[in-house]
Amino acid sequence: MPGIEQARDGLAAALEARYGRGGDTPPLPSQVTFDAMVRVVLEEFLDARQAALAWEALVEAGLDEAGPIAEADPLELASVWQLAGLKPPARMGGVVRKLAMWLVDRHRGDPTALAEVGVDRLREELRQIQGVGPALTERLLLWGLGREGVPLDRSGYRILLRHGWIDPTADTDELRSTMVQLAQGGRWDDPAGDPRAALAAVGRWSGWMERVGREFCKPTAPRCDRCPLREALPETGPVEWDA
């Protein structure tokens, strides 16, 4: 089994050939906006088209800034989306409102102020928001704030385990480190001098891992024979850790 460093370029080429360079991942934000953060939350509950409609409905209702959303009644948000023909999960509005309240309470409602806050502090603060778990925190960091977030869902975690790149005792720091190793050789800085290149690479790998997980690395009966990551499997096949 080749190590991550030896396999990385070949795997990236195979994944890009199958899924394209961008995959299904959102674009990185060009600047920090409340819009970008809320869209990440909406896409946690809705598909991309519905999430766009949900945001447009908020804009039309005058709820496109943190202050008004933080002060809104949760039923008001639900009503706005219902009038737009949407039926999102009930807790979506709560998470959007809690995110707005965090921005108002901690950062004066100014999303541009977040650019001056360290990523570790942002990660800690986001994790404290009710309804924002580890995976959504990383999505908000990367695709909402354009910072060093490493989105990894259950399927991505399963892929790392089955290839022997991590073991079940790995903590969140190790998971992030392994993904950055795959995407960017373990570096957040880019040798060519593009500060966004590493962020884009991590975003691509995150999207690729989700696709591979859905199509090949299923919880039971993985389809390794056709998987674009098959060349990096251990010689004995996927590692199945004891429960």
Side-chain angles (χ1 to χ4, degrees):
M1 174 187 70
I4 288 179
E5 278 300 307
Q6 292 74 30
R8 181 166 59 90
D9 290 343
L11 295 179
L15 289 164
E16 184 173 338
R18 185 173 187 89
Y19 299 121
R21 188 166 179 80
D24 296 332
T25 59
L28 291 174
S30 57
Q31 57 185 349
V32 181
T33 64
F34 185 60
D35 174 349
M37 288 187 284
V38 172
R39 285 175 182 268
V40 170
V41 174
L42 297 177
E43 290 191 10
E44 190 79 357
F45 298 92
L46 305 170
D47 63 34
R49 183 188 68 82
Q50 291 177 323
L53 291 174
W55 173 251
E56 290 172 7
L58 290 175
V59 172
E60 292 178 4
L63 296 170
D64 55 345
E65 294 184 358
I69 289 184
E71 296 175 358
D73 186 288
L75 293 177
E76 181 181 358
L77 298 180
S79 176
V80 166
W81 290 321
Q82 287 174 0
L83 289 173
L86 298 169
K87 295 182 179 180
R91 65 191 187 94
M92 184 177 85
V95 178
V96 170
R97 186 166 174 268
K98 292 290 186 181
L99 180 70
M101 293 171 66
W102 162 75
L103 187 60
V104 170
D105 294 343
R106 293 289 191 96
H107 303 283
R108 306 181 305 280
D110 180 10
T112 63
L114 301 178
E116 304 301 321
V117 182
V119 68
D120 290 337
R121 178 183 161 190
L122 284 172
R123 180 175 282 115
E124 181 180 354
E125 290 186 8
L126 289 169
R127 285 290 305 274
Q128 292 173 357
I129 299 173
Q130 184 178 356
V132 177
L136 182 52
T137 291
E138 298 300 319
R139 290 176 181 273
L140 280 165
L141 285 171
L142 183 62
W143 290 311
L145 301 174
R147 303 293 290 275
E148 295 90 337
V150 185
L152 187 70
D153 65 3
R154 288 182 179 273
S155 60
Y157 176 71
R158 190 164 57 244
I159 291 167
L160 296 181
L161 281 173
R162 283 176 169 166
H163 282 79
W165 291 329
I166 61 169
D167 63 52
T169 66
D171 60 21
T172 54
D173 287 340
E174 290 177 89
L175 295 179
R176 288 196 295 269
S177 176
T178 302
M179 281 293 290
V180 175
Q181 190 75 17
L182 276 168
Q184 190 70 5
R187 301 172 53 140
W188 276 113
D189 60 317
D190 180 62
D194 181 357
R196 292 167 60 85
L199 299 176
V202 169
R204 281 196 299 276
W205 270 90
S206 175
W208 287 338
M209 296 283 263
E210 289 185 17
R211 292 287 298 274
V212 169
R214 289 199 302 267
E215 296 178 21
F216 300 101
C217 201
K218 299 177 182 297
T220 58
R223 300 168 54 202
C224 300
D225 56 324
R226 298 183 180 181
C227 177
L229 299 179
R230 62 186 177 277
E231 298 300 327
L233 275 174
E235 293 181 2
T236 54
V239 179
E240 298 295 349
W241 300 89
D242 293 333

mmCIF file of all heavy atoms in Angstrom, residues 198-241:
data_model
loop_
_atom_site.group_PDB
_atom_site.id
_atom_site.type_symbol
_atom_site.label_atom_id
_atom_site.label_comp_id
_atom_site.label_asym_id
_atom_site.label_seq_id
_atom_site.Cartn_x
_atom_site.Cartn_y
_atom_site.Cartn_z
ATOM 1 N N ALA A 198 -4.560 26.241 -1.182
ATOM 2 C CA ALA A 198 -4.719 25.133 -0.239
ATOM 3 C C ALA A 198 -6.175 24.986 0.174
ATOM 4 O O ALA A 198 -6.681 23.863 0.311
ATOM 5 C CB ALA A 198 -3.837 25.353 0.988
ATOM 6 N N LEU A 199 -6.870 26.112 0.380
ATOM 7 C CA LEU A 199 -8.286 26.047 0.735
ATOM 8 C C LEU A 199 -9.082 25.365 -0.373
ATOM 9 O O LEU A 199 -9.934 24.510 -0.115
ATOM 10 C CB LEU A 199 -8.832 27.457 0.971
ATOM 11 C CG LEU A 199 -8.197 28.272 2.095
ATOM 12 C CD1 LEU A 199 -8.800 29.677 2.124
ATOM 13 C CD2 LEU A 199 -8.381 27.591 3.436
ATOM 14 N N ALA A 200 -8.798 25.739 -1.619
ATOM 15 C CA ALA A 200 -9.508 25.139 -2.748
ATOM 16 C C ALA A 200 -9.207 23.649 -2.853
ATOM 17 O O ALA A 200 -10.093 22.841 -3.148
ATOM 18 C CB ALA A 200 -9.124 25.853 -4.043
ATOM 19 N N ALA A 201 -7.946 23.265 -2.595
ATOM 20 C CA ALA A 201 -7.571 21.852 -2.676
ATOM 21 C C ALA A 201 -8.298 21.036 -1.617
ATOM 22 O O ALA A 201 -8.803 19.941 -1.894
ATOM 23 C CB ALA A 201 -6.058 21.708 -2.521
ATOM 24 N N VAL A 202 -8.367 21.548 -0.399
ATOM 25 C CA VAL A 202 -9.087 20.843 0.662
ATOM 26 C C VAL A 202 -10.569 20.745 0.314
ATOM 27 O O VAL A 202 -11.208 19.708 0.528
ATOM 28 C CB VAL A 202 -8.881 21.549 2.016
ATOM 29 C CG1 VAL A 202 -9.831 20.987 3.070
ATOM 30 C CG2 VAL A 202 -7.443 21.393 2.482
ATOM 31 N N GLY A 203 -11.127 21.811 -0.242
ATOM 32 C CA GLY A 203 -12.527 21.772 -0.656
ATOM 33 C C GLY A 203 -12.781 20.718 -1.720
ATOM 34 O O GLY A 203 -13.785 20.000 -1.672
ATOM 35 N N ARG A 204 -11.868 20.622 -2.698
ATOM 36 C CA ARG A 204 -12.021 19.597 -3.741
ATOM 37 C C ARG A 204 -11.996 18.200 -3.138
ATOM 38 O O ARG A 204 -12.834 17.355 -3.457
ATOM 39 C CB ARG A 204 -10.897 19.723 -4.774
ATOM 40 C CG ARG A 204 -11.080 20.816 -5.786
ATOM 41 C CD ARG A 204 -10.149 20.633 -6.964
ATOM 42 N NE ARG A 204 -8.744 20.669 -6.586
ATOM 43 C CZ ARG A 204 -8.036 21.782 -6.443
ATOM 44 N NH1 ARG A 204 -8.603 22.958 -6.627
ATOM 45 N NH2 ARG A 204 -6.752 21.733 -6.120
ATOM 46 N N TRP A 205 -11.014 17.948 -2.267
ATOM 47 C CA TRP A 205 -10.905 16.620 -1.674
ATOM 48 C C TRP A 205 -12.122 16.291 -0.812
ATOM 49 O O TRP A 205 -12.588 15.150 -0.787
ATOM 50 C CB TRP A 205 -9.617 16.505 -0.857
ATOM 51 C CG TRP A 205 -8.474 16.007 -1.683
ATOM 52 C CD1 TRP A 205 -7.588 16.752 -2.403
ATOM 53 C CD2 TRP A 205 -8.109 14.642 -1.898
ATOM 54 N NE1 TRP A 205 -6.692 15.941 -3.050
ATOM 55 C CE2 TRP A 205 -6.981 14.637 -2.754
ATOM 56 C CE3 TRP A 205 -8.619 13.432 -1.454
ATOM 57 C CZ2 TRP A 205 -6.367 13.460 -3.171
ATOM 58 C CZ3 TRP A 205 -8.001 12.252 -1.863
ATOM 59 C CH2 TRP A 205 -6.893 12.274 -2.712
ATOM 60 N N SER A 206 -12.637 17.277 -0.122
ATOM 61 C CA SER A 206 -13.837 17.049 0.677
ATOM 62 C C SER A 206 -14.996 16.605 -0.209
ATOM 63 O O SER A 206 -15.703 15.636 0.095
ATOM 64 C CB SER A 206 -14.209 18.325 1.434
ATOM 65 O OG SER A 206 -15.427 18.162 2.120
ATOM 66 N N GLY A 207 -15.190 17.313 -1.322
ATOM 67 C CA GLY A 207 -16.256 16.943 -2.247
ATOM 68 C C GLY A 207 -16.029 15.581 -2.872
ATOM 69 O O GLY A 207 -16.961 14.776 -3.011
ATOM 70 N N TRP A 208 -14.788 15.307 -3.247
ATOM 71 C CA TRP A 208 -14.477 14.000 -3.836
ATOM 72 C C TRP A 208 -14.757 12.869 -2.847
ATOM 73 O O TRP A 208 -15.321 11.833 -3.218
ATOM 74 C CB TRP A 208 -13.008 13.960 -4.253
ATOM 75 C CG TRP A 208 -12.684 14.763 -5.474
ATOM 76 C CD1 TRP A 208 -13.548 15.165 -6.457
ATOM 77 C CD2 TRP A 208 -11.393 15.256 -5.856
ATOM 78 N NE1 TRP A 208 -12.874 15.879 -7.419
ATOM 79 C CE2 TRP A 208 -11.555 15.947 -7.082
ATOM 80 C CE3 TRP A 208 -10.125 15.185 -5.283
ATOM 81 C CZ2 TRP A 208 -10.479 16.552 -7.743
ATOM 82 C CZ3 TRP A 208 -9.057 15.787 -5.933
ATOM 83 C CH2 TRP A 208 -9.233 16.463 -7.154
ATOM 84 N N MET A 209 -14.360 13.063 -1.595
ATOM 85 C CA MET A 209 -14.560 12.005 -0.599
ATOM 86 C C MET A 209 -16.047 11.730 -0.382
ATOM 87 O O MET A 209 -16.462 10.577 -0.215
ATOM 88 C CB MET A 209 -13.894 12.399 0.717
ATOM 89 C CG MET A 209 -12.386 12.529 0.637
ATOM 90 S SD MET A 209 -11.529 10.945 0.630
ATOM 91 C CE MET A 209 -11.107 10.808 2.350
ATOM 92 N N GLU A 210 -16.858 12.777 -0.390
ATOM 93 C CA GLU A 210 -18.299 12.570 -0.238
ATOM 94 C C GLU A 210 -18.853 11.761 -1.406
ATOM 95 O O GLU A 210 -19.684 10.867 -1.216
ATOM 96 C CB GLU A 210 -19.014 13.917 -0.130
ATOM 97 C CG GLU A 210 -18.759 14.641 1.180
ATOM 98 C CD GLU A 210 -19.583 15.909 1.308
ATOM 99 O OE1 GLU A 210 -20.563 16.053 0.545
ATOM 100 O OE2 GLU A 210 -19.258 16.743 2.172
ATOM 101 N N ARG A 211 -18.390 12.072 -2.624
ATOM 102 C CA ARG A 211 -18.869 11.342 -3.796
ATOM 103 C C ARG A 211 -18.434 9.878 -3.745
ATOM 104 O O ARG A 211 -19.225 8.967 -4.020
ATOM 105 C CB ARG A 211 -18.340 12.004 -5.074
ATOM 106 C CG ARG A 211 -18.910 13.374 -5.369
ATOM 107 C CD ARG A 211 -20.356 13.299 -5.837
ATOM 108 N NE ARG A 211 -20.504 12.566 -7.077
ATOM 109 C CZ ARG A 211 -20.370 13.099 -8.295
ATOM 110 N NH1 ARG A 211 -20.055 14.391 -8.425
ATOM 111 N NH2 ARG A 211 -20.555 12.374 -9.378
ATOM 112 N N VAL A 212 -17.174 9.637 -3.416
ATOM 113 C CA VAL A 212 -16.677 8.261 -3.328
ATOM 114 C C VAL A 212 -17.443 7.492 -2.253
ATOM 115 O O VAL A 212 -17.801 6.322 -2.443
ATOM 116 C CB VAL A 212 -15.161 8.247 -3.027
ATOM 117 C CG1 VAL A 212 -14.692 6.835 -2.676
ATOM 118 C CG2 VAL A 212 -14.378 8.772 -4.221
ATOM 119 N N GLY A 213 -17.710 8.153 -1.140
ATOM 120 C CA GLY A 213 -18.452 7.491 -0.074
ATOM 121 C C GLY A 213 -19.850 7.093 -0.505
ATOM 122 O O GLY A 213 -20.325 5.993 -0.191
ATOM 123 N N ARG A 214 -20.529 7.986 -1.229
ATOM 124 C CA ARG A 214 -21.892 7.685 -1.684
ATOM 125 C C ARG A 214 -21.914 6.572 -2.725
ATOM 126 O O ARG A 214 -22.809 5.727 -2.730
ATOM 127 C CB ARG A 214 -22.549 8.937 -2.281
ATOM 128 C CG ARG A 214 -22.901 10.011 -1.281
ATOM 129 C CD ARG A 214 -23.931 10.968 -1.855
ATOM 130 N NE ARG A 214 -23.493 11.603 -3.087
ATOM 131 C CZ ARG A 214 -22.886 12.776 -3.147
ATOM 132 N NH1 ARG A 214 -22.610 13.436 -2.032
ATOM 133 N NH2 ARG A 214 -22.547 13.308 -4.309
ATOM 134 N N GLU A 215 -20.921 6.572 -3.615
ATOM 135 C CA GLU A 215 -20.961 5.656 -4.749
ATOM 136 C C GLU A 215 -20.251 4.327 -4.498
ATOM 137 O O GLU A 215 -20.656 3.299 -5.056
ATOM 138 C CB GLU A 215 -20.343 6.335 -5.978
ATOM 139 C CG GLU A 215 -21.117 7.550 -6.454
ATOM 140 C CD GLU A 215 -20.455 8.230 -7.632
ATOM 141 O OE1 GLU A 215 -19.647 7.570 -8.325
ATOM 142 O OE2 GLU A 215 -20.721 9.422 -7.863
ATOM 143 N N PHE A 216 -19.198 4.353 -3.692
ATOM 144 C CA PHE A 216 -18.370 3.149 -3.568
ATOM 145 C C PHE A 216 -18.160 2.685 -2.128
ATOM 146 O O PHE A 216 -18.294 1.501 -1.835
ATOM 147 C CB PHE A 216 -16.996 3.390 -4.216
ATOM 148 C CG PHE A 216 -17.064 3.728 -5.667
ATOM 149 C CD1 PHE A 216 -16.943 5.048 -6.097
ATOM 150 C CD2 PHE A 216 -17.266 2.739 -6.619
ATOM 151 C CE1 PHE A 216 -17.014 5.367 -7.439
ATOM 152 C CE2 PHE A 216 -17.341 3.049 -7.965
ATOM 153 C CZ PHE A 216 -17.216 4.369 -8.380
ATOM 154 N N CYS A 217 -17.794 3.601 -1.238
ATOM 155 C CA CYS A 217 -17.391 3.198 0.109
ATOM 156 C C CYS A 217 -18.589 3.223 1.055
ATOM 157 O O CYS A 217 -18.650 3.991 2.009
ATOM 158 C CB CYS A 217 -16.272 4.111 0.621
ATOM 159 S SG CYS A 217 -15.316 3.369 1.970
ATOM 160 N N LYS A 218 -19.536 2.350 0.772
ATOM 161 C CA LYS A 218 -20.762 2.298 1.558
ATOM 162 C C LYS A 218 -20.494 1.617 2.905
ATOM 163 O O LYS A 218 -19.505 0.890 3.054
ATOM 164 C CB LYS A 218 -21.841 1.562 0.778
ATOM 165 C CG LYS A 218 -22.188 2.245 -0.552
ATOM 166 C CD LYS A 218 -23.216 1.453 -1.323
ATOM 167 C CE LYS A 218 -23.518 2.121 -2.664
ATOM 168 N NZ LYS A 218 -24.117 3.456 -2.496
ATOM 169 N N PRO A 219 -21.364 1.844 3.882
ATOM 170 C CA PRO A 219 -21.131 1.244 5.206
ATOM 171 C C PRO A 219 -20.979 -0.270 5.158
ATOM 172 O O PRO A 219 -20.187 -0.848 5.902
ATOM 173 C CB PRO A 219 -22.374 1.661 6.000
ATOM 174 C CG PRO A 219 -22.836 2.917 5.344
ATOM 175 C CD PRO A 219 -22.541 2.737 3.884
ATOM 176 N N THR A 220 -21.756 -0.914 4.292
ATOM 177 C CA THR A 220 -21.621 -2.358 4.105
ATOM 178 C C THR A 220 -21.359 -2.632 2.627
ATOM 179 O O THR A 220 -21.762 -1.857 1.759
ATOM 180 C CB THR A 220 -22.900 -3.097 4.537
ATOM 181 O OG1 THR A 220 -24.014 -2.600 3.774
ATOM 182 C CG2 THR A 220 -23.176 -2.866 6.020
ATOM 183 N N ALA A 221 -20.662 -3.699 2.338
ATOM 184 C CA ALA A 221 -20.364 -4.129 0.970
ATOM 185 C C ALA A 221 -19.746 -3.020 0.125
ATOM 186 O O ALA A 221 -20.314 -2.595 -0.888
ATOM 187 C CB ALA A 221 -21.634 -4.661 0.295
ATOM 188 N N PRO A 222 -18.562 -2.514 0.509
ATOM 189 C CA PRO A 222 -17.912 -1.491 -0.311
ATOM 190 C C PRO A 222 -17.557 -2.034 -1.697
ATOM 191 O O PRO A 222 -17.193 -3.199 -1.845
ATOM 192 C CB PRO A 222 -16.653 -1.151 0.491
ATOM 193 C CG PRO A 222 -16.396 -2.346 1.343
ATOM 194 C CD PRO A 222 -17.747 -2.896 1.679
ATOM 195 N N ARG A 223 -17.661 -1.180 -2.705
ATOM 196 C CA ARG A 223 -17.389 -1.570 -4.097
ATOM 197 C C ARG A 223 -15.970 -1.144 -4.466
ATOM 198 O O ARG A 223 -15.750 -0.257 -5.283
ATOM 199 C CB ARG A 223 -18.424 -0.928 -5.009
ATOM 200 C CG ARG A 223 -19.855 -1.342 -4.701
ATOM 201 C CD ARG A 223 -20.841 -0.455 -5.432
ATOM 202 N NE ARG A 223 -20.575 -0.421 -6.863
ATOM 203 C CZ ARG A 223 -20.988 0.551 -7.669
ATOM 204 N NH1 ARG A 223 -21.663 1.572 -7.177
ATOM 205 N NH2 ARG A 223 -20.714 0.514 -8.960
ATOM 206 N N CYS A 224 -14.994 -1.796 -3.881
ATOM 207 C CA CYS A 224 -13.601 -1.376 -4.039
ATOM 208 C C CYS A 224 -13.071 -1.615 -5.453
ATOM 209 O O CYS A 224 -12.163 -0.908 -5.902
ATOM 210 C CB CYS A 224 -12.715 -2.110 -3.038
ATOM 211 S SG CYS A 224 -13.160 -1.816 -1.308
ATOM 212 N N ASP A 225 -13.613 -2.607 -6.164
ATOM 213 C CA ASP A 225 -13.051 -2.976 -7.460
ATOM 214 C C ASP A 225 -13.165 -1.860 -8.487
ATOM 215 O O ASP A 225 -12.346 -1.764 -9.405
ATOM 216 C CB ASP A 225 -13.725 -4.246 -7.988
ATOM 217 C CG ASP A 225 -15.235 -4.105 -8.091
ATOM 218 O OD1 ASP A 225 -15.825 -3.438 -7.220
ATOM 219 O OD2 ASP A 225 -15.825 -4.664 -9.041
ATOM 220 N N ARG A 226 -14.151 -0.977 -8.343
ATOM 221 C CA ARG A 226 -14.339 0.108 -9.308
ATOM 222 C C ARG A 226 -14.021 1.483 -8.722
ATOM 223 O O ARG A 226 -14.165 2.488 -9.405
ATOM 224 C CB ARG A 226 -15.781 0.100 -9.817
ATOM 225 C CG ARG A 226 -16.158 -1.172 -10.565
ATOM 226 C CD ARG A 226 -17.567 -1.074 -11.106
ATOM 227 N NE ARG A 226 -17.959 -2.275 -11.834
ATOM 228 C CZ ARG A 226 -19.137 -2.440 -12.421
ATOM 229 N NH1 ARG A 226 -20.043 -1.465 -12.352
ATOM 230 N NH2 ARG A 226 -19.423 -3.552 -13.063
ATOM 231 N N CYS A 227 -13.605 1.520 -7.484
ATOM 232 C CA CYS A 227 -13.387 2.795 -6.795
ATOM 233 C C CYS A 227 -12.137 3.500 -7.323
ATOM 234 O O CYS A 227 -11.099 2.860 -7.523
ATOM 235 C CB CYS A 227 -13.243 2.542 -5.295
ATOM 236 S SG CYS A 227 -12.884 4.035 -4.342
ATOM 237 N N PRO A 228 -12.189 4.807 -7.542
ATOM 238 C CA PRO A 228 -11.000 5.531 -8.006
ATOM 239 C C PRO A 228 -9.872 5.575 -6.977
ATOM 240 O O PRO A 228 -8.746 5.937 -7.323
ATOM 241 C CB PRO A 228 -11.540 6.934 -8.308
ATOM 242 C CG PRO A 228 -12.809 7.050 -7.550
ATOM 243 C CD PRO A 228 -13.383 5.676 -7.482
ATOM 244 N N LEU A 229 -10.152 5.189 -5.733
ATOM 245 C CA LEU A 229 -9.110 5.150 -4.703
ATOM 246 C C LEU A 229 -8.553 3.744 -4.489
ATOM 247 O O LEU A 229 -7.777 3.516 -3.561
ATOM 248 C CB LEU A 229 -9.673 5.673 -3.368
ATOM 249 C CG LEU A 229 -10.175 7.113 -3.337
ATOM 250 C CD1 LEU A 229 -10.725 7.450 -1.956
ATOM 251 C CD2 LEU A 229 -9.068 8.084 -3.711
ATOM 252 N N ARG A 230 -8.929 2.796 -5.335
ATOM 253 C CA ARG A 230 -8.567 1.395 -5.092
ATOM 254 C C ARG A 230 -7.059 1.162 -5.087
ATOM 255 O O ARG A 230 -6.574 0.265 -4.384
ATOM 256 C CB ARG A 230 -9.225 0.489 -6.130
ATOM 257 C CG ARG A 230 -8.802 0.754 -7.567
ATOM 258 C CD ARG A 230 -9.604 -0.094 -8.549
ATOM 259 N NE ARG A 230 -9.251 0.191 -9.934
ATOM 260 C CZ ARG A 230 -9.761 1.193 -10.636
ATOM 261 N NH1 ARG A 230 -10.650 2.005 -10.079
ATOM 262 N NH2 ARG A 230 -9.391 1.396 -11.885
ATOM 263 N N GLU A 231 -6.295 1.956 -5.850
ATOM 264 C CA GLU A 231 -4.853 1.734 -5.923
ATOM 265 C C GLU A 231 -4.159 2.000 -4.593
ATOM 266 O O GLU A 231 -3.031 1.551 -4.380
ATOM 267 C CB GLU A 231 -4.242 2.623 -7.014
ATOM 268 C CG GLU A 231 -4.751 2.332 -8.414
ATOM 269 C CD GLU A 231 -4.472 0.901 -8.859
ATOM 270 O OE1 GLU A 231 -3.426 0.358 -8.441
ATOM 271 O OE2 GLU A 231 -5.292 0.332 -9.598
ATOM 272 N N ALA A 232 -4.820 2.728 -3.704
ATOM 273 C CA ALA A 232 -4.201 3.060 -2.417
ATOM 274 C C ALA A 232 -4.667 2.153 -1.290
ATOM 275 O O ALA A 232 -4.309 2.372 -0.135
ATOM 276 C CB ALA A 232 -4.491 4.519 -2.061
ATOM 277 N N LEU A 233 -5.457 1.128 -1.607
ATOM 278 C CA LEU A 233 -5.891 0.199 -0.567
ATOM 279 C C LEU A 233 -4.733 -0.686 -0.113
ATOM 280 O O LEU A 233 -3.818 -0.971 -0.895
ATOM 281 C CB LEU A 233 -7.013 -0.699 -1.092
ATOM 282 C CG LEU A 233 -8.443 -0.169 -1.034
ATOM 283 C CD1 LEU A 233 -9.377 -1.140 -1.741
ATOM 284 C CD2 LEU A 233 -8.895 0.051 0.404
ATOM 285 N N PRO A 234 -4.762 -1.147 1.129
ATOM 286 C CA PRO A 234 -3.778 -2.146 1.560
ATOM 287 C C PRO A 234 -3.868 -3.397 0.679
ATOM 288 O O PRO A 234 -4.926 -3.692 0.103
ATOM 289 C CB PRO A 234 -4.199 -2.458 3.003
ATOM 290 C CG PRO A 234 -4.976 -1.263 3.442
ATOM 291 C CD PRO A 234 -5.673 -0.759 2.211
ATOM 292 N N GLU A 235 -2.783 -4.130 0.574
ATOM 293 C CA GLU A 235 -2.760 -5.326 -0.273
ATOM 294 C C GLU A 235 -3.801 -6.345 0.156
ATOM 295 O O GLU A 235 -4.306 -7.117 -0.670
ATOM 296 C CB GLU A 235 -1.364 -5.955 -0.243
ATOM 297 C CG GLU A 235 -0.296 -5.100 -0.907
ATOM 298 C CD GLU A 235 1.058 -5.771 -0.885
ATOM 299 O OE1 GLU A 235 1.141 -6.916 -0.381
ATOM 300 O OE2 GLU A 235 2.034 -5.166 -1.371
ATOM 301 N N THR A 236 -4.126 -6.371 1.435
ATOM 302 C CA THR A 236 -5.107 -7.336 1.943
ATOM 303 C C THR A 236 -6.543 -6.845 1.811
ATOM 304 O O THR A 236 -7.473 -7.524 2.237
ATOM 305 C CB THR A 236 -4.823 -7.648 3.422
ATOM 306 O OG1 THR A 236 -4.776 -6.421 4.162
ATOM 307 C CG2 THR A 236 -3.490 -8.377 3.563
ATOM 308 N N GLY A 237 -6.729 -5.670 1.227
ATOM 309 C CA GLY A 237 -8.069 -5.130 1.063
ATOM 310 C C GLY A 237 -8.389 -4.086 2.119
ATOM 311 O O GLY A 237 -7.535 -3.730 2.949
ATOM 312 N N PRO A 238 -9.605 -3.574 2.103
ATOM 313 C CA PRO A 238 -9.968 -2.517 3.052
ATOM 314 C C PRO A 238 -9.842 -2.975 4.498
ATOM 315 O O PRO A 238 -10.147 -4.121 4.827
ATOM 316 C CB PRO A 238 -11.425 -2.199 2.690
ATOM 317 C CG PRO A 238 -11.924 -3.407 1.975
ATOM 318 C CD PRO A 238 -10.743 -3.973 1.253
ATOM 319 N N VAL A 239 -9.373 -2.071 5.331
ATOM 320 C CA VAL A 239 -9.225 -2.369 6.753
ATOM 321 C C VAL A 239 -10.595 -2.247 7.410
ATOM 322 O O VAL A 239 -11.243 -1.208 7.316
ATOM 323 C CB VAL A 239 -8.237 -1.394 7.427
ATOM 324 C CG1 VAL A 239 -8.109 -1.714 8.915
ATOM 325 C CG2 VAL A 239 -6.886 -1.442 6.730
ATOM 326 N N GLU A 240 -11.045 -3.309 8.032
ATOM 327 C CA GLU A 240 -12.315 -3.284 8.762
ATOM 328 C C GLU A 240 -11.993 -3.389 10.244
ATOM 329 O O GLU A 240 -11.625 -4.446 10.740
ATOM 330 C CB GLU A 240 -13.229 -4.427 8.313
ATOM 331 C CG GLU A 240 -13.638 -4.365 6.847
ATOM 332 C CD GLU A 240 -14.505 -3.163 6.507
ATOM 333 O OE1 GLU A 240 -14.974 -2.473 7.441
ATOM 334 O OE2 GLU A 240 -14.715 -2.898 5.303
ATOM 335 N N TRP A 241 -12.084 -2.265 10.931
ATOM 336 C CA TRP A 241 -11.727 -2.221 12.344
ATOM 337 C C TRP A 241 -12.806 -2.888 13.175
ATOM 338 O O TRP A 241 -13.993 -2.790 12.880
ATOM 339 C CB TRP A 241 -11.554 -0.773 12.793
ATOM 340 C CG TRP A 241 -10.477 -0.057 12.040
ATOM 341 C CD1 TRP A 241 -10.614 0.633 10.879
ATOM 342 C CD2 TRP A 241 -9.097 0.013 12.387
ATOM 343 N NE1 TRP A 241 -9.412 1.142 10.473
ATOM 344 C CE2 TRP A 241 -8.458 0.779 11.383
ATOM 345 C CE3 TRP A 241 -8.337 -0.487 13.449
ATOM 346 C CZ2 TRP A 241 -7.099 1.058 11.416
ATOM 347 C CZ3 TRP A 241 -6.987 -0.208 13.481
ATOM 348 C CH2 TRP A 241 -6.375 0.549 12.479
#
